[in-house]
């Protein structure tokens, strides 16, 4: 099967939100899956608006933040994803980050992936969610080959807002099989009820579909469940060999890798020379030197400084 045949046959819809902790924790598996599919499918992200503009503000923001920080801590305990301490606040809105992420798609898939990654890191690495347009655009600054002025214009346009509004509506029309999900996962992915009394997909959810059939894989799942769904729909499409790149190349390609990510995406001794380690309450995040310069995070240090390179390999 050629790449063009696969892309025509299989669409993957990722229902997500830039500020969702379960989606953040699923990045190791999703990055691995995208690498294994390697452009053989059409992969589309639908931004579902986890934190909506119409939500009531909390009566006690400090108490709400403390509760949510504990909630994120519990999720990261399952996913082993980095998490920020302290978390400054609960995000006021997902709209700005979703608009910027959607706008970045016009500049190519690689740029869109990197912008979305930056947006996720605002809350789960920095502890400062990108919940205003200025903050979301600032998070994207310095992404290689990104046209910042174009991004601002597109993100504030009516056309992009309509696309995100359509994503939000699509997410609130979940397939019937997601309304009751039996799974041993701590996040099985049963459809959630919104404040308006609607149902929406749990985040993240992958919908894989061809012209003849579909499979839904909701919630937090192991790689094998996604790979099995691809194989059922398009036998032989999924790359079966290793997707890991040599460590230095992997870090340059992805620009930042958590420990769970580098274990499936990077091969050979770790960390590679020049890697910058950022310690979080959920373990280290590794960034290439170019990413560290373009988007500094307090507390980052080059691998090998103060013995960190050696300790991080265990």
């Amino acid at each position: 099967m050629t790449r063009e045949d696969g892309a025509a046959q299989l669409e993957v819809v990722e229902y997500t939100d830039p500020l969702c902790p379960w989606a953040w924790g699923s990045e190791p598996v999703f990055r691995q899956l995208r690498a294994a599919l390697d452009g053989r499918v059409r992969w589309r992200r639908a931004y579902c608006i986890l934190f909506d503009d119409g939500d009531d503000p909390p009566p006690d923001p400090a108490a709400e933040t403390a509760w949510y920080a504990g909630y994120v801590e519990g999720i990261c305990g399952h996913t082993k994803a980095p998490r920020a301490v302290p978390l400054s606040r609960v995000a006021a809105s997902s709209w700005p980050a979703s608009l910027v992420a959607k706008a970045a798609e016009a500049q190519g898939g690689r740029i869109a992936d990197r912008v979305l990654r930056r947006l996720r890191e605002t809350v789960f690495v920095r502890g400062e969610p990108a919940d205003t347009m200025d903050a979301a655009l600032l998070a994207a600054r310095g992404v290689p080959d990104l046209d910042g002025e174009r991004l601002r214009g597109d993100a504030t346009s009516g056309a992009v807002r309509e696309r995100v509004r359509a994503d939000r509506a699509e997410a609130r029309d979940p397939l019937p099989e997601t309304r009751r999900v039996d799974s041993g996962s701590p996040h099985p992915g049963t459809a959630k009820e919104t404040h308006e009394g609607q149902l929406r997909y749990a985040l993240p959810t992958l919908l894989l579909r061809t012209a003849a059939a579909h499979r839904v894989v909701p919630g937090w799942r192991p790689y094998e469940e996604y790979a099995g769904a691809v194989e059922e729909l398009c036998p032989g499409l999924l790359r079966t060999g290793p997707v890991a790149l040599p460590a230095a190349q992997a870090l340059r390609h992805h620009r930042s890798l958590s420990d769970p990510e580098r274990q499936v995406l990077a091969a050979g001794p770790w960390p590679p020379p020049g890697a910058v380690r950022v310690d979080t309450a959920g373990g280290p995040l590794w960034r290439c030197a170019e990413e560290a310069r373009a988007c500094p995070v307090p507390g980052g240090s080059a691998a090998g400084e103060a013995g960190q390179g050696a300790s991080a390999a265990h």
Side-chain angles (χ1 to χ4, degrees), residues 59-72:
D60 186 340
E64 181 78 0
T65 299
W67 174 86
Y68 191 69
Y71 174 70
V72 171

Side-chain angles (χ1 to χ4, degrees), residues 8 13 33 39 67 80 112 123 141 153 169 192 221 236 242 246 259 269 283 288 306:
V13 185
L33 185 63
W67 174 86
K80 310 305 178 188
V123 59
R141 183 179 297 173
K192 304 289 186 180
R221 302 300 179 98
D259 259 8
C288 69

Side-chain angles (χ1 to χ4, degrees), residues 218-304:
W220 186 63
R221 302 300 179 98
Y223 175 83
E224 290 73 19
E225 292 199 32
Y226 299 103
V230 173
E231 182 64 18
E232 287 179 17
L233 291 171
C234 295
L237 179 63
L238 193 70
R239 176 180 169 186
T240 56
V243 298
L245 299 172
Q249 184 181 348
L251 192 56
R252 286 195 304 271
H253 176 78
H254 294 286
R255 299 192 62 91
S256 78
L257 290 168
S258 66
D259 259 8
E261 289 171 329
R262 62 97 173 169
Q263 289 167 11
V264 295
L265 296 171
W270 190 269
V276 176
R277 172 175 173 151
V278 178
D279 286 305
T280 80
L285 181 82
W286 300 92
R287 311 170 87 216
C288 69
E290 294 84 356
E291 182 71 3
R293 286 194 295 268
C295 186
V297 174
S301 59

Side-chain angles (χ1 to χ4, degrees), residues 31 34 45 104 108-118:
R31 280 180 151 187
R34 287 196 295 271
R45 292 188 178 102
R110 178 70 59 84
I111 289 175
D113 287 350
R114 289 175 172 173
V115 168
L116 177 57
R117 178 67 177 211
R118 289 277 195 89

Side-chain angles (χ1 to χ4, degrees), residues 51-188:
F51 302 99
D52 215 337
D53 286 348
D55 294 346
D56 294 331
D60 186 340
E64 181 78 0
T65 299
W67 174 86
Y68 191 69
Y71 174 70
V72 171
E73 180 180 2
I75 292 171
C76 292
H78 291 295
T79 66
K80 310 305 178 188
R83 63 181 178 87
V85 173
L87 178 66
S88 68
R89 63 188 181 279
V90 179
S93 174
S94 292
W95 276 97
S98 299
L99 291 166
V100 168
K102 182 64 72 176
E105 294 174 359
Q107 299 190 42
R110 178 70 59 84
I111 289 175
D113 287 350
R114 289 175 172 173
V115 168
L116 177 57
R117 178 67 177 211
R118 289 277 195 89
L119 293 164
R120 295 198 196 280
E121 290 185 6
T122 63
V123 59
F124 300 112
V125 178
R126 295 174 175 273
E128 293 283 344
D131 55 1
T132 68
M133 183 57 71
D134 284 345
L137 290 168
L138 181 62
R141 183 179 297 173
V143 166
D145 302 320
L146 176 73
D147 183 333
E149 287 304 311
R150 180 184 179 187
L151 183 69
R152 177 180 289 275
D154 288 345
T156 56
S157 71
V160 167
R161 179 168 286 274
E162 283 303 313
R163 290 177 62 199
V164 175
R165 188 174 287 122
D167 285 353
R168 180 186 181 281
E170 180 181 340
R172 283 157 176 76
D173 187 23
L175 289 168
E177 56 262 48
T178 66
R179 299 182 184 189
R180 182 177 179 84
V181 179
D182 295 320
S183 166
S185 169
H187 179 45

